[in-house]
Amino acid sequence: MAKLILSMDGLVLKEIPLAKERTTIGRRATNDIQIDNLAMSGEHAVIVQILNDCFLEDLGSTNGTMVNGQPVKKHFLQHNDVIELGKYRLKYFNEQTGAPATAEFEKTMILRPQAVPKVPMEAGRKAGDTQIGAAATAASRTQTGAAGGAAPVQQAPAARLLGAIQILNGASAGRELELAKPLTTLGKPGVQVAVITRRPHGYFVTHVEGANFPVLNGKALDAQAHALKDHDILEISGTKMEFFIKS
């Protein structure tokens, strides 16, 4: 389990396990971590936990939030990061993300239409059709066998499957994004943010930030993680996208 070590002027004050999905930090007593100091805002920051990963977000505080000496608004916490709140320090410990494999994580991938090259919708769909058609042909050959006889169907483990999303509307329509990393963040900070996680048994989408929840196949999601299926239609922050399995 991830935890924080609260200290001031080098003196350790207490250890705080991050056992909740949302852990609030601030001067008011209603916060999960209360720091009664005038440098702190009433509701200063929040830590959102998704699976084994934690995101720190400043809640528009007066004096701001710093991590490792740099001011941040939203930050993907890594093992041994130091959150600085005035005189106070919160050192983040998470040995599960402290392993070398952490470098493989796609920590943020925010979709901003103006920053993504525009691909014609027709070209994007043709590319997707070719990939899906190739996958269907391969699957058919596996089932029938080279000699036309019935052969046992050997389905690859979900962890080996590679998923992707294709943007369906806006300036980036037709753009394809592979979901090769264990964690991909999508949306617009301050408006709506969701995370797609790649697990051994498939892909899941989870709401992270924003008053409105992502929409999956026309239905708004809740705070829980939801499994994604081939050709699901997902809408995040006004952007519609299709999830599909590439291989």
Side-chain angles (χ1 to χ4, degrees), residues 191-194 207-215 220-221 235-237:
V191 178
Q192 189 181 57
V193 176
H207 176 72
V208 174
E209 176 188 353
N212 297 319
F213 286 76
V215 175
L221 300 179
E235 183 174 349
I236 301 173
S237 192

Side-chain angles (χ1 to χ4, degrees), residues 93-110:
F93 290 91
N94 189 347
E95 294 180 357
Q96 294 189 44
T97 61
T102 304
E104 297 295 323
F105 277 58
E106 189 73 39
K107 297 179 178 59
T108 53
M109 194 169 288
I110 305 299

Side-chain angles (χ1 to χ4, degrees), residues 139-159:
S140 176
R141 287 176 179 171
T142 301
Q143 293 175 18
T144 59
V153 177
Q154 295 182 350
Q155 189 172 9

Side-chain angles (χ1 to χ4, degrees), residues 28-163:
R28 294 176 185 162
T30 53
N31 289 284
D32 299 301
I33 301 175
Q34 183 191 15
I35 300 178
D36 192 8
N37 185 280
L38 293 178
M40 299 286 297
S41 295
E43 295 177 354
H44 197 101
V46 64
I47 294 174
V48 178
Q49 184 167 242
I50 300 175
L51 302 178
N52 294 324
D53 303 303
C54 292
F55 296 83
L56 170 70
E57 181 183 357
D58 183 84
L59 297 176
S61 64
T62 302
N63 294 317
T65 302
M66 301 183 73
V67 176
N68 303 329
Q70 299 296 322
V72 299
K73 291 295 183 183
K74 191 173 179 70
H75 178 77
F76 181 94
L77 288 169
Q78 299 181 68
H79 185 59
N80 286 328
D81 273 353
V82 177
I83 304 168
E84 302 171 38
L85 304 165
K87 295 181 179 179
Y88 292 84
R89 302 288 183 272
L90 284 165
K91 190 166 184 178
Y92 175 74
F93 290 91
N94 189 347
E95 294 180 357
Q96 294 189 44
T97 61
T102 304
E104 297 295 323
F105 277 58
E106 189 73 39
K107 297 179 178 59
T108 53
M109 194 169 288
I110 305 299
L111 291 180
R112 297 186 179 90
Q114 67 271 23
V116 180
K118 184 176 180 180
V119 177
M121 174 67 82
E122 184 178 354
R125 289 200 177 279
K126 284 182 179 178
D129 293 342
T130 301
Q131 292 160 351
I132 294 170
T137 302
S140 176
R141 287 176 179 171
T142 301
Q143 293 175 18
T144 59
V153 177
Q154 295 182 350
Q155 189 172 9
R160 290 176 140 188
L161 298 177
L162 176 62

